[in-house]
Amino acid sequence: MSKPLKKISLTKLLHQNKNKWSFIKLRQFYQSLEKILKETCSYAELCTNNGHWLDYTGTEMNSSCFSCSSVKPDCVCELTFSFSQLFEGPVFFYYGLSNYYQNYRQYGVSKDANQLSGDTTYFLSPQDTCSPYQYDSSGKPIVPCGSIANSKFNDTFKLYLMVNGVKTLVPFDGKGIAWWTDYNVKYRNPATVNGSLAKAFDGTVKPPNWPKPAYELDPSDAANNGFVNQDFLVWMRRAALPNFRKLYGRITGGDYSQGLPAGNYTLQINYNYPVVNFKGTKKVIFSNVSWMGGKNEFLGLAYLVIGCLCVVMAIVMLIVYAKYKFSDDDDMQ
Amino acid sequence: MLRRRINLLFGGDEKRVDSRTIYVGHRPCPATEAFIPPKFCDNRIVSSKYTIWNFLPKNLFEQFRRIANFYFLIIFLVQVIVDTPTSPVTSGLPLFFVITVTAIKQGYEDWLRHKADYEVNKYPVIVLEDGRSIRKESEKIKVGDIVEVVEDETFPCDLILLQSTRDDDTCFVTTASLDGESNHKTHYTVPDTEKDLQSLNATIECEQPQPDLYKFVGRMHIYKTDQEPAVRSLGPENLLLKGATLKNTKKIYGVAVYTGMETKMALNYQGKSQKRSAVEKSINAFLLVYLCILISKAVVCTTLKYVWQSQDGQDEPWYNEKTQKEKDTYVYLKMFTDFLSFMVLFNFIIPVSMYVTVEMQKFLGSFFITWDKDFFDPEIQEGALVNTSDLNEELGQVEYVFTDKTGTLTQNNMEYIECCIDGFQYRNSDSMSELDGFCVTDGPVSKLQQKAGRDKEELFLRALCLCHTVQVKEAGPDEIDSDQVDGLVSELSQPDEQRGFIASSPDEVALVKGAMKHGFTFLGLENKSMKIRNRENNVELYDLLHVLNFDPVRRRMSVIVRSKSGETLLFCKGADSSIFPRVRQEEVDRIRMHVERNATEGYRTLCVAYKQLSPEEFAVADAGLRDARLALQDREEKLMAVYNQVETSMSLIGATAVEDRLQEEAAETMEALQGAGMKVWVLTGDKMETAKSTCYACRLFQRGTELLELTVRTLEDGGRKREERLHELLLDYHKKAVQDAPPVKAGVTRSWSTANQEYGFIVDGATLSLVMNPSPDTNSSRYKSLFLQICQNCTAVLCCRMAPLQKAQIVKMVKNSKGSPITLSIGDGANDVSMILEAHVGIGIKGKEGRQAVRNSDYAIPKLKHLKKLLLAHGHLYYVRIAHLVQYFFYKNLCFILPQFLYQFFCGYSQQPLYDAAYLTMYNICFTSMPILAFSLLEQHIAIEYLLDNATLYREIAKNAMLKWGPFLYWTVLGIFQGLLFFFGVKYLFSNPALQDNGQVFGNWSYGTIVFTVLVFTVTLKLALDTRHWTWINHFVIWGSLAFYVFFSFFWGGIIWPFLKQQRLYFVFANMLSSVSAWLVIILLILLSLLPDILLMVFRKPRGPHARQMKRRLPSSGTSTIFMLSQTTSTHSFSWSD
C-alpha cells in the first residue's frame, strides 16, 4: 500500500527546495508548537488532555508497537499503564487518529447512499462517486463501495486489568456508540434473502481493505452486521478535522460501572491499520462523560476567560456610567 | 463629394425628407400631378417593450447584460461543467430567484403598459369618410383622416383643427395630461376654410414629427375649382395634440397629421437618461475589493493545495486513492479546475441577493416620500411625487442646491403693487371700491399729475388692458357680456371681482387686475376685437391685429390694435433692459429711478411703451408678419427679425411693479439648507436687483455678507475692455475669497464660523458667457477655474439674467468640478427643465408654471418648504439606510464565507464545503435577508423631528461618509474577526468531538451546522443591536427569521428527503441541540462576537435619539437658562459653531 519509491523522491524534492518552501517550515514550526502545547508527556505513560490518552503508533523505537508499525498484518502489541486512583465512570474508550483527512472532499463523496440504505439495485451498479472502489479488478461491484467504507478502522482492542498478576478482561460495550438515527433510519441492511443477510450480498465483493465482508463484521451479534454495524457507522460519520477521535466502546459492565479502579492495565492491540506512511498517529483515549458531553478543556477555559473579562468590563462600564451620569448632572445645573 | 452623391440619390425626395404632405380626407388634389397615397405609420401606440413571444429571450438578455447577473451565470455554468464542491443548485437557485423576481416585476410593468396601450388603441373614434361618420377604433386612424371629437374627449392623434362648433372658430383645450397645465388654451381653426368639409380639397405641408410640444410649422393649400390655391400658415395654435382634452366646445373636426408613434406625445415619452447614484459607485468599488479577496482566496488555496500535496505522503494516502481519471488529468488543467472550484466555493462572498435587496429597498422606500403627510398640500390636493426611486439616497448627499427664483423661492403669485406713469408713482390704495383712488406718494410735483397725467394715465391703463394674451374665464357658457356692460354702477364691482382671468403668465393677470383697480376693465376678446370698459363705464372696442408673442430672448411682447377711431397702435411691455434701448432716452431717465427702486424692493417691474403706426408702417409690418408666419423654415428667426423691426422707436409711458411673494418658509428652508452645509445658488432669469432682494429676503445674503459682483455694470465701470476688467476682478475676488480666507480645508467640514467674513457672489448671464466662452486669445480655462474657486468659497451665489441653457451650463460646471459634488436643482417652470435634467437630483415644484418641470424631475414636491424635510430627514435617513445595507451585506457574507475558507486549511485544500448546500443557498435568500430589508426601510437612527431641528447633522453624512474606506474597513475587520471567532471557537470545541452526554461523536456536518447557527444568530443580532427604531415589523422579521432558521433546520434534518442523494444533515441539528457543550459554545461565541459592538455602543459618545431627546426636553422644564439661550440663538441667528 505504501509507495516507498515515490516517497523517497518526494522527500528528496522537498529537501532540495527547502529554502523555497519556507512556508512549509512555518507549518513545521506550527506543528512543533502544537506538539509542545499538547503532547507534554512521553509515550510510555498516560497523557492527560481532554481525557487520558495513549499513543500507540509505534514510531518510537522504545514503543512496544514499534515492530507492528512497519506493516505486518495481524500484528499484536501490548501497552501497559496504570491508574493511581479510581478513574470515575462511566468511562468511554475512544480511538484517535491524527493527520487523517476524513474531511477530504473526494473521500467524503466516495460512497453510495442508496447502497447504504439497503437498495439492492445499487449493489450491482454502485455510483460513480465510489471510484476507485466501485468495482474490483475482476469487474465485480464492491459493497459497500467507496473510499470511506474501504478505509474502515480495523484495529481491535482488548483491555485487561492486572489483579494480582492475573489479567482480567475489562469488557467494552460496543452498542449505542453510533447515532440512534443512523442505525435505525438512515442506514438500512438490504432485505434478507431466505433469512440470510449474506445472500443479499450475492454477486458483490467486500471492499479490498476489509478482512471480512459486511455481513460478517460482528460474529457475536447477528443484528450488528451489514450496514448497521455500529463500528462501521461510527466510521462513516466523517470527522470534521484531521485530528479526531471516534468512540470504540463503553466500559459500563458489572464491576466497572463505577469506573476503572486504580491499578495496572494492559491494552492488547490488534495492529492492522497503517498510518505511518502518511505521518499519522494512532492513540487510544479513556474519557469520562458528564451531562455536558466529553471532557472539553477549551470550553471551561474559554468561559473562565470570558467570565473574567466580563467582570472587568462590568467594572469599567460602571466607572464610565458613573462619569457620564455626573457629566449629565453638570448639564442639568 | 459624398453629400452630392446622396443628394443625387435622394434628390427627388428631398422635400419629403424634411416635410410631409397630407391630403385632407385622402382626396387627390388637382394641382399635384399624381396622387400618391403617402405612407405613414398607423395610429397604434406601442409603449410596451415586450410581446409574449419575445419576452423571455429579450428579458433574459437584458438582465444578463448586468455585470452582476452575468457573473453569477458564469459561476453557475462553471458549477455545471466542472466537478465542483457545491451543486449547481446552490448558486443556480438564488440566480433563478433574482432573475424571476426581476422578470416578474418587468413583466408586470409591461403588462400594465400593454393594457394602457390597448385601451388607447381600441378607443372608438368617429371618422368622416365619404360624407358619412364611421366609428373606428382609434388605432385605425390614418394620416389625412378627418376626425370628429366631442367635448371632454381626448384627441386620438395630432390634429389640425378644421372646424369648431364655436362661433369664433376657436376651441378650448386643456393639456393637463401632457404638461399638466390645467388652464384652457385657445386653439384656432385654419382661417377661411370652407364650412363644408366634404368639399374641402386641400393639402397640408408640414414638418416631420418632432418632440417639441410647442413648436409646429406647416402650410395648408386650399384648392378651389375656380381659384388660385390659397395658402394658410399653420402654427402650434392650429394643432391639437394627442392626449389633450377638448373643453367648452361641443364638437370639432380635425385632420390627422401625426399618428401613433409619431405624435408629439409619443415622441416625448422616450425615456430620460438614467441617473446613477453615488452609492452605486461605492458598491461597485467594494465589489471590486471583494472580487479581489475572492480571487486571492482561490489563488492562495490552490497554491497551498499543491504545496501541501508535494509533502510526504499527503498527496494520495492509501485511504483516499485517486480515480483513474484524476490520475490521467494534466496537472495544469487540474490546477485550473481546482482554482475554479475554489472560486465556486467562495463565490458567496459576493452577494447575489444584494442587488435585489437594494432594488427592493429603493422601490419600497420611495413610497415613504409619496406617503408623507407633511408633503401633502391641501391647496392642490396633492402630495409629493417620485419619478425615480434610484436616487433616494442621493438626497442625503447634496452639496450644491441650484434653485430657480420665480415660483420656487417666490410664490409666483403676482400681486399688482404700483405703477409709475410718466415719472409719477401711483400706489394703489387698499380700498378696492374707490375706482380712481390714485394716491400720490411720490413724485416731484403732485399738482402736475392731475393735468399732465390724465391723458397719459388713460393711455397707460389702456395699454395695460390691451397688451396681453389673457382670456376671460367664462363662469357659465350662457353668461352674456352685455349683461355686465349694462349693469348698474352699484353692481359693478361685484362681477369684476369674480371675473377670472386665465393667462400663461401670472404677471399678465396681475397687470390686468391692476388696471381694473384703476378703472379700466378688460372684458374679453370677441371676434378678434378686445373689449375694455373705461373709467366712464363706456365700452371701448379695439381690433386685435397682431400679437407679437412673448419669448424669453426678447423679453417683451407687443400687440397691434386698431381703435374705433381708426388709429393703429402698438403697445409693448417688457423688461426694462429690453424696452429702454427702444425708446427715447429722455423718457427713460424719468422712469429708470422708479424701476430701480422697485427692483431693490423685490418687485418685478415691467415697462410699457407704445407707438402709433401710420397706415404705411402698418402695411409693411403686416406683410412682414404674415410672410414670416407662413415660412416653413426658420420661421422663428424670421418672426424675430420682423418683431425687432416693428418694436422700435416707441415712446415709454410708464412702468409697473408687481410683487412676487416669497414661498412659505422660504427663508427657514434656505437657512436650514445652508446649515446643513449645502451651498445654495440662485439661478434666475430675473434682473439683478430683484433677485438680490429676494436673496436678502430668503436670508441667503445676510447683513454681514460681502457681495462680490461680477456683472456687466461692474465690468463697464473701469471704462476699459471688458475682458481686461473681468480678469482683474476675478483675480481680485479670488484673492479676497479664496486666498485670504482662513485656512479651513474646504470640503472637509466647511464649518465656517460667524467670525469669518461671508461672501456672496453675484454674476449675470452676459458675464457668465464671457467666463464660460471667452475669446480664444485669453487664457480661458483659467477664468473658469478662478470663477469656480470663488464660487465655491462663497456662502451663496446668485446668477441672474440667465438663459435656461446657461443654468444647465452652471450646473454642469459645478458637477464636473473637483471632487464631483452632488448637485440638486429645484425649479418649477419650463425654463428650469434643462438644469433639472443636468443635476444629479432634479426636483420639480408643482407650481403654477405648468408641469414640465415636474415631468422631467426625479422628485416633485408641492412647495419649496418641503425640500427641507425631503433632504434633511428623508435624504439623510435613506442614505444612512442604504449605506448600512450595503456595508452589512458585505459584512455578513464575509463572515459567512471566511470559516469556509479557513476550513480549507484543515481539510487538505480539498474544497470541502463547511456548510450544507441548503444552508449555502438559503443564507442570503431566507435566513438573513428580511431583517436587513426591514431595517433599511424603517430605520431612523435619529428621530425625524431632531433631524429637522438640527440641520448640521446632515454634514455628518456629507461626502458619502458612511461608504468611505474607513467604515468599510471597520465592517470588514468586524466580519473577519467574527469569521475567525466562529471557526476557531468551534474548532477548539472539536478538539474533543465527543460532545454528547452519551459519548457519541460529532462529524463534519455538525461542525458546519454549529458554525452556521452561530453565524445566523450573530449576524441577525448584530442588526438588532444596530436598530435604533424598533417597529413591530422589525421585531417580527428579526425574531421571525431566527425562528424560521431553527424551524427550517429541524425540518431539513428531520426527514429523509427522497430527492437528496445524501442525507448529510439527517438529525444533525437535533443532535446538536441535545448537546449541552454545543449550546454553551454557541452562546459564548455569539456573545463574544457581539462584544466589540456592545463596547463601541457603550464607549461611543452618546448620540442616540434618547440622549438628544432628553436634552431637548430640558428647556421646557425651565431649569437651564444657558441652554435656553443657546437654543434661541440657534433658531434665530443660527450659530455655525455647533
Side-chain angles (χ1 to χ4, degrees), chain A residues 78 300 309:
Chain A
E78 284 188 350
L309 214 73

Side-chain angles (χ1 to χ4, degrees), chain A residues 128-132, chain B residues 316 321-328:
Chain A
D128 291 341
T129 49
C130 286
S131 175
Chain B
E316 196 183 2
E321 272 187 59
K322 288 180 181 165
T323 58
Q324 199 56 41
K325 205 177 123 204
E326 275 179 293
K327 284 178 191 161
D328 292 345

Side-chain angles (χ1 to χ4, degrees), chain B residues 466-469 528 530 543-549 557-562 568-571 613 618-627 629 639 642-643 646:
Chain B
L466 293 172
C467 182
H468 55 72
T469 54
K528 297 217 151 203
M530 295 173 106
D543 287 337
L544 180 62
L545 299 172
H546 283 289
V547 176
L548 284 61
N549 279 322
M557 66 93 56
S558 309
V559 288
I560 300 176
V561 293
R562 180 174 290 143
T568 311
L569 295 165
L570 176 135
F571 290 111
L613 292 172
F618 174 70
V620 172
D622 187 48
L625 286 168
R626 276 177 205 278
D627 276 354
R629 285 206 178 121
L639 273 176
V642 180
Y643 287 167
V646 176

